[in-house]
Amino acid sequence: GQPVTVDLEPETTEKSSKKPSYDTKITVTLPIDVVDKEYGDDLEAFAEAKGYFSIEKKGDDKVKIRMREYSYRLLLTSVGMETVSGMGYAMDSGDYPFITDLAKYNDDFSEIVFTVDMEKYAEAENKDEFFSVMAVYCLYYQEFDENSDGSCKITVCEDGSNIVIESREISEEDLE
């Protein structure tokens, strides 16, 4: 049969085109990492500095925050930029010389496509590590995204032809 290829044109989703209202208030549960280290355990001071309406600790590793939807979108944008730069750092580290590009990813990092040099990829012995490392970045972002299901699909395709070489669905449980 025909090889499977990947369309590398960016997708536009309803979520990214919907403009958040500045006045809409939402409540989200986020990793405690969202609290800047400089505030320590003083969650109220953190919430006040950020312009959040309320904050409450949930267990050891989560906080429930009441904030403007606009603030939440800004937070997701910032975490998304951290996610992409983390992947870029991993790609530039020299550990994965077979990767040629982070070709495509969707808004919530549930689907990512990398292009690879076929010869180098065929010889690589650290493919499992590569998939795990990239999944950690995706799943980190998804901890902040209330709509996430905690899994990602990472696809590797041949640079130039976009023919799919390998695709893996990875969830948080797979990495434990």
Side-chain angles (χ1 to χ4, degrees):
Q2 287 285 349
V4 177
T5 60
V6 175
D7 175 13
L8 295 180
E9 287 303 308
E11 294 167 23
T12 53
T13 63
E14 263 182 55
K15 187 168 100 174
S16 63
S17 60
K18 180 182 163 253
K19 297 280 185 263
S21 159
Y22 186 75
D23 296 326
T24 305
K25 295 175 179 147
I26 60 171
T27 302
V28 291
T29 302
L30 301 172
I32 196 134
D33 301 354
V34 77
V35 179
D36 298 334
K37 299 287 180 254
E38 66 199 72
Y39 293 98
D41 291 333
D42 192 351
L43 298 180
E44 297 305 320
F46 169 74
E48 192 176 316
K50 293 290 186 182
Y52 300 156
F53 301 107
S54 67
I55 188 167
E56 149 187 6
K57 196 167 180 183
K58 291 282 185 194
D60 288 338
D61 60 347
K62 300 273 185 201
V63 286
K64 186 173 173 181
I65 302 176
R66 182 105 176 116
M67 63 171 69
R68 286 187 171 86
E69 182 184 16
Y70 181 81
S71 300
Y72 179 58
R73 295 281 166 233
L74 286 175
L75 175 67
L76 284 180
T77 299
S78 172
V79 173
M81 289 168 38
E82 287 175 30
T83 301
V84 171
S85 65
M87 285 188 220
Y89 179 78
M91 287 168 37
D92 293 343
S93 70
D95 292 343
Y96 314 107
F98 49 85
I99 298 298
T100 57
D101 196 15
L102 167 56
K104 181 179 178 179
Y105 53 90
N106 61 356
D107 287 350
D108 65 357
F109 293 92
S110 60
E111 293 187 33
I112 309 175
V113 179
F114 291 93
T115 54
V116 297
D117 175 303
M118 277 301 295
E119 279 182 38
K120 290 179 183 174
Y121 189 74
E123 295 167 6
E125 293 180 15
N126 61 344
K127 292 179 200 136
D128 290 341
E129 175 191 307
F130 164 76
F131 278 95
S132 294
V133 166
M134 295 308 165
V136 165
Y137 284 111
C138 299
L139 296 171
Y140 171 76
Y141 174 87
Q142 291 182 15
E143 281 188 54
F144 292 86
D145 188 337
E146 291 268 290
N147 302 314
S148 160
D149 70 353
S151 70
C152 60
K153 179 180 177 184
I154 300 175
T155 301
V156 170
C157 65
E158 182 178 16
D159 195 5
S161 73
N162 301 344
I163 294 173
V164 174
I165 314 296
E166 187 171 3
S167 195
R168 296 187 192 180
E169 291 269 352
I170 302 173
S171 69
E172 292 172 24
E173 292 78 45
D174 296 331
L175 297 175
E176 290 172 359

